[in-house]
Amino acid sequence: MAQGHKFQDLEETGEALVGFINSSQPDKLKGLKDEHQALFDQHTETAKIVTQILKDLAQIEENTGQRLLDMEQEKMRREKELESLEEQLRQCTAKSQITDSELQFLQKELESLRNAENELEILQSEVEEDTTEVIPSAVYVAQVYYLITKIKWEYDTPANILKGVHYGADLATPINIDTTSRSRIDVSDQLWGFVSTKW
């Protein structure tokens, strides 16, 4: 008799469990999970984009700085050559010991150097203009990303390490996550936990 009651209780418990599962709307739960996964994928892709932007920005700054340095050195070298030619021309003119053809040759060389110097200055100006256009736009994207998440990332880390600092209202929290030892959903939950929902 006691076993009959136990079986009836077990059957009632099973029916209640089936009823609970049916009422929990698995499609809705799956939809929420898919939505959560999409948010994580979007966050990961955004982090990759910002990382690449900052790497490109650093490369642009390095290349531009080297080009400007090279052009400045070339400009100084040409200025010295120009001064030397001008001095030679003055000396030759003063002593009246050069022929007309030699004088014309030196004048052409002088004019050629002046033209080259002007072209170098124009090129240097164009490089500086390109720099002022490209770098601020990349910096703007990175600043917008930081303003939204309040997370300042470190970009010189291995690909599987997410490292940075979240600057909350009252507390700065370090972030150091090995993505190979945790699921993407766990990582997403932790990162989204830092982002304030107050706008």
Side-chain angles (χ1 to χ4, degrees):
M1 188 69 175
Q3 289 180 349
H5 282 301
K6 288 181 180 179
F7 180 76
Q8 184 178 0
D9 291 343
L10 182 60
E11 186 178 10
E12 291 175 356
T13 302
E15 290 175 355
L17 183 58
V18 170
F20 174 76
I21 291 174
N22 290 335
S23 67
S24 63
Q25 300 177 354
D27 291 339
K28 186 175 181 181
L29 291 175
K30 184 178 183 304
L32 290 173
K33 182 179 179 182
D34 292 342
E35 185 178 333
H36 192 206
Q37 182 63 41
L39 286 173
F40 173 80
D41 292 341
Q42 183 179 3
H43 175 80
T44 302
E45 185 63 24
T46 302
K48 287 181 181 177
I49 291 171
V50 172
T51 299
Q52 188 59 47
I53 287 172
L54 292 178
K55 286 181 179 177
D56 292 345
L57 173 62
Q59 188 63 47
I60 290 171
E61 290 176 338
E62 181 180 348
N63 293 344
T64 301
Q66 186 60 49
R67 287 181 66 187
L68 289 174
L69 181 61
D70 293 344
M71 284 190 284
E72 187 63 29
Q73 291 175 346
E74 179 66 15
K75 182 179 177 182
M76 290 175 63
R77 186 184 68 81
R78 290 180 180 272
E79 285 176 349
K80 287 181 179 179
E81 289 183 2
L82 181 61
E83 290 175 359
S84 176
L85 282 173
E86 287 176 339
E87 181 60 27
Q88 291 178 38
L89 184 60
R90 280 194 296 270
Q91 291 177 0
C92 291
T93 303
K95 294 179 180 179
S96 299
Q97 294 179 349
I98 58 174
T99 64
D100 289 342
S101 60
E102 290 174 335
L103 179 60
Q104 289 176 0
F105 173 76
L106 286 174
Q107 287 175 336
K108 287 180 180 178
E109 284 292 311
L110 180 61
E111 187 65 26
S112 176
L113 280 172
R114 284 177 176 161
N115 290 337
E117 184 180 10
N118 288 337
E119 290 175 2
L120 190 61
E121 288 177 353
I122 291 171
L123 182 59
Q124 185 176 5
S125 175
E126 290 175 353
V127 170
E128 290 174 350
E129 288 177 5
D130 290 343
T131 302
T132 57
E133 290 176 2
V134 173
I135 292 178
S137 63
V139 171
Y140 173 76
V141 172
Q143 288 174 345
V144 168
Y145 182 74
Y146 169 75
L147 289 174
I148 294 172
T149 64
K150 303 298 184 189
I151 297 175
K152 185 175 183 181
W153 293 106
E154 293 182 19
Y155 298 99
D156 56 349
T157 59
N160 63 309
I161 299 297
L162 294 177
K163 191 171 184 181
V165 178
H166 174 261
Y167 294 94
D170 303 314
L171 181 66
T173 306
I175 300 172
N176 191 349
I177 302 172
D178 184 352
T179 58
T180 59
S181 63
R182 297 176 58 182
S183 72
R184 299 175 70 180
I185 293 177
D186 287 343
V187 174
S188 176
D189 287 342
Q190 181 175 348
L191 293 177
W192 280 110
F194 288 120
V195 179
S196 174
T197 56
K198 297 179 181 179
W199 297 94

